[in-house]
Every structure is written in C-alpha cells, then in structure tokens.
Amino acid sequence: MFDPKLLKFLIVGGGGVIVNEGIFISLSRFIPIVFSLALAIEASVIFNFILNDLWTFADARKGSFLKRMIRFHASSYSGGIVHYTIVILLLVILLHFSSLSEIVLLLFFSYLKLQALYLAAINFVGIVFAFAVRFITAVKYVWG
C-alpha cells in the first residue's frame, strides 16, 4: 500500500527543491558558489522541516520543536553533504579546470556566470542523490 506520508514528504520536498533551486541560481550570480550552495541547502532544510513538522509528520512529533528541528538538521545534513559534494564535483568535472588554483578561485572567490538551466540541472542531480538519505533519516531519526 502507498504510504500517505511518503506522498506528503514528496510534496514538501518538491517545494524544497523549488526553494533550493531559486536561491542557488539567484545567489550564484552574486556570491561564490560554495556560499550560494550552502545557503540554498540551509534554506530548503528549514523550509522542509517546518512543512514536514506541521503537515507530514504532525501526528508523530516527539519532544520540543527545537529538539525536532535540531534532529531534522542533523539528519538532513547527511543528505546535504551528499548534495553539496555532488554539485561541486560535477562543476569541477564539467567545467574542465586545468589546475587546482582555478578550482579554488571559482569555488571560493568568484561567482558563476553560467546559464541558469545548466546550474539548475547540476544542482538537481545533487538533490536527487540526497533525497533517499534525507527521507530515511527523517523517518527513522526525527519522527520515528
């Protein structure tokens, strides 16, 4: 049987994807990629926590709001690390850098002038890989 919580989780996650992509694409035009990606991931984690706490897992809450939020952040950062690592690796691989200094300059000291669709696609790959990690840890660790 299909779990209604999974459907709710997917709906909330879809909203989180939109939040993440919008912030990542917008900020990467103005600040270095390592910061724009980190801020996008954090914003989507907060967005997802609030909606999951109020709607998806409202009947399974244990402990205080703050404790659930901390547990959700802890469980989400395993997926966040996967997401972050994949996006950075894909950028390094796809942009064909010839030296470590070029990579460091791009990631920490410049902003990307890539097309939004290109950035969104790379970011989405990271999001997809992180989804399974986030769902499993949220169900088992935060609301389980």
Side-chain angles (χ1 to χ4, degrees):
M1 205 101 214
F2 187 76
D3 184 359
K5 284 188 181 181
L6 178 59
L7 178 60
K8 290 178 180 180
F9 193 80
L10 289 171
I11 292 168
V12 170
V17 169
I18 292 167
V19 167
N20 186 296
E21 291 281 23
I23 290 172
F24 178 60
I25 291 166
S26 298
L27 290 180
S28 65
R29 297 179 187 282
F30 304 106
I31 63 174
I33 194 83
V34 294
F35 304 118
S36 61
L37 182 58
L39 290 170
I41 290 171
E42 178 60 22
S44 63
V45 167
I46 291 169
F47 174 87
N48 286 356
F49 169 73
I50 291 170
L51 288 183
N52 278 319
D53 194 60
L54 294 175
W55 184 45
T56 310
F57 300 104
D59 62 338
R61 294 186 211 159
K62 293 179 183 175
S64 70
F65 178 84
L66 183 59
K67 285 182 182 180
R68 289 191 309 276
M69 181 184 270
I70 290 168
R71 285 195 311 256
F72 187 80
H73 266 77
S75 72
S76 292
Y77 278 112
S78 56
I81 290 167
V82 169
H83 179 178
Y84 195 88
T85 302
I86 287 173
V87 170
I88 298 301
L89 285 174
L90 284 174
L91 284 169
V92 169
I93 291 166
L94 295 173
L95 295 177
H96 306 291
F97 292 106
S98 59
S99 70
L100 182 60
S101 61
E102 285 181 348
I103 295 169
V104 170
L105 282 173
L106 169 80
L107 297 178
F108 291 96
F109 299 105
S110 63
Y111 54 91
L112 291 178
K113 293 183 180 181
L114 298 173
Q115 290 184 349
L117 186 58
Y118 188 70
L119 276 178
I122 290 170
N123 192 37
F124 189 72
V125 171
I127 290 168
V128 167
F129 276 92
F131 169 77
V133 174
R134 286 189 171 121
F135 179 73
I136 291 166
T137 56
V139 168
K140 299 229 181 250
Y141 180 63
V142 181
W143 290 285

